[in-house]
Amino acid sequence: MRKFGIKVFMAVFAVLLIISVIWFFGGSLEQFSTAEQEGKIRIAAVIMMLICIVTESVLFILLKRSKSES
């Protein structure tokens, strides 16, 4: 059951990572956004990507440890 939970969380964070990459390249969803708004969106997207990558790495390590214990 623990492995399944880790895999579910990995899938959720993978989707969030994909969304943040799309957000980074797509920019603000406003029709006429300013350069300042675009910069803020890019910073937020990079922070979100970093959080997702670190979380995915930790979950991957937990999954590997869980498999080695079984």
Side-chain angles (χ1 to χ4, degrees):
M1 187 67 174
R2 181 176 174 180
K3 291 183 218 177
F4 178 74
I6 293 173
K7 288 179 183 180
V8 168
F9 277 117
M10 286 181 77
V12 168
F13 278 98
V15 170
L16 288 174
L17 181 61
I18 291 169
I19 290 171
S20 63
V21 170
I22 292 170
W23 197 22
F24 180 80
F25 289 113
S28 178
L29 297 177
E30 293 183 13
Q31 194 169 15
F32 301 107
S33 59
T34 63
E36 182 183 357
Q37 289 171 330
E38 290 293 328
K40 289 178 183 177
I41 291 297
R42 292 196 192 284
I43 291 170
V46 168
I47 291 170
M48 189 172 161
M49 281 187 258
L50 290 173
I51 291 170
C52 288
I53 290 170
V54 169
T55 306
E56 283 283 338
S57 301
V58 170
L59 288 172
F60 181 75
I61 291 169
L62 287 174
L63 184 65
K64 287 297 177 183
R65 284 187 180 172
S66 175
K67 285 186 177 181
S68 66
E69 290 174 358
S70 297

